[in-house]
Amino acid sequence: MRIYLIGYMGSGKSTLGKMLAKYAGMQFIDMDHYIEKRNCKTVPRLFAEEGEEAFRNKERKALHELSEMNDVVIATGGGAPCFFDNMDVMNRTGKTVYLNISPKILAERLLNSKTDRPLIRGKTEEELIQFIDESLKNRNAFYLKAHDQITDPDTALEDIITMLNQDTSH
Ligand code: S3P
């Protein structure tokens, strides 16, 4: 089994991914960390030194490698589903779950996060909400192709597991 957690920055993919993997006895992989290890550079450095396009190519390569691993929960980077045919690759090779969280909550979480995210660096709360709103207009076209979605940020792990077990066709 292979589960891909997708969604905007700050939607809780890694937090949920770790819990799910632990519960199901599966391996957890954070796609950004995987890319950093493979390239011996942090994501911010990849963006700064090689640019976003190069990062997206590396992200695509990482996805193809990860799509061959078994019994794994993968927290994808927020932009990963929105480039190339990545979303189709994920839908074909595993179960995709979209963490669909409101821009207001995302902005609050991102402002309190210690992770350096090049795309939103230095933005105020208002700027951030507007930026998230705008990018979700484009990104939702990809995110909404997921097999399942979670819209309540307080959904209990047991309910998520029930949802995943209900549809075993992926
Ligand atoms: C990005 C999200 C980040 C990381 C990069 C770009 C995006 O991952 O891949 O900074 O385009 O949304 P997280 O969603 O884990 O923060």
Side-chain angles (χ1 to χ4, degrees):
M1 184 162 185
R2 198 174 294 117
I3 297 172
Y4 297 101
L5 300 178
I6 70 165
Y8 207 77
M9 294 175 264
S11 57
K13 296 162 290 189
S14 298
T15 308
L16 174 62
K18 281 180 201 157
M19 291 197 297
L20 267 181
K22 194 169 172 200
Y23 175 90
M26 291 162 79
Q27 194 185 345
F28 169 73
I29 294 184
D30 178 296
M31 194 186 263
D32 282 340
H33 290 167
Y34 182 86
I35 296 168
E36 290 181 334
K37 265 208 211 143
R38 289 286 265 116
N39 295 279
C40 303
K41 263 187 204 180
T42 62
V43 170
R45 264 192 74 191
L46 280 170
F47 266 78
E49 293 175 9
E50 302 183 30
E52 180 170 355
E53 198 181 331
F55 173 77
R56 297 302 173 193
N57 283 320
K58 292 181 195 310
E59 188 173 56
R60 176 174 187 241
K61 190 161 184 284
L63 172 62
H64 281 264
E65 289 169 7
L66 295 174
S67 71
E68 296 191 348
M69 292 180 68
N70 292 317
D71 292 326
V72 67
V73 180
I74 301 162
T76 63
C82 315
F83 291 84
F84 310 105
D85 60 346
N86 293 353
M87 192 63 210
D88 297 331
V89 170
M90 289 192 259
N91 273 337
R92 232 183 15 244
T93 58
K95 175 136 193 131
T96 50
V97 182
Y98 174 25
L99 308 193
N100 187 351
I101 307 300
S102 78
K104 177 109 183 68
I105 295 179
L106 291 173
E108 275 163 20
R109 287 186 184 171
L110 288 168
L111 283 170
N112 289 316
S113 164
K114 290 192 187 77
T115 308
D116 180 17
R117 293 172 164 104
L119 294 178
I120 54 167
R121 204 181 280 143
K123 293 199 189 304
T124 65
E125 182 167 5
E126 241 169 66
E127 286 167 346
L128 199 49
I129 293 177
Q130 205 180 339
F131 179 80
I132 296 170
D133 255 334
E134 278 301 311
S135 34
L136 280 178
K137 278 183 199 146
N138 299 320
R139 290 190 170 192
N140 265 334
F142 299 92
Y143 291 157
L144 291 170
K145 286 184 176 177
H147 297 127
D148 285 311
Q149 55 169 312
I150 296 166
T151 49
D152 178 356
D154 298 322
T155 307
L157 186 63
E158 297 83 69
D159 294 334
I160 296 173
I161 288 157
T162 306
M163 178 190 82
L164 288 168
N165 284 334
Q166 267 164 4
D167 178 6
T168 50
S169 60
H170 306 102

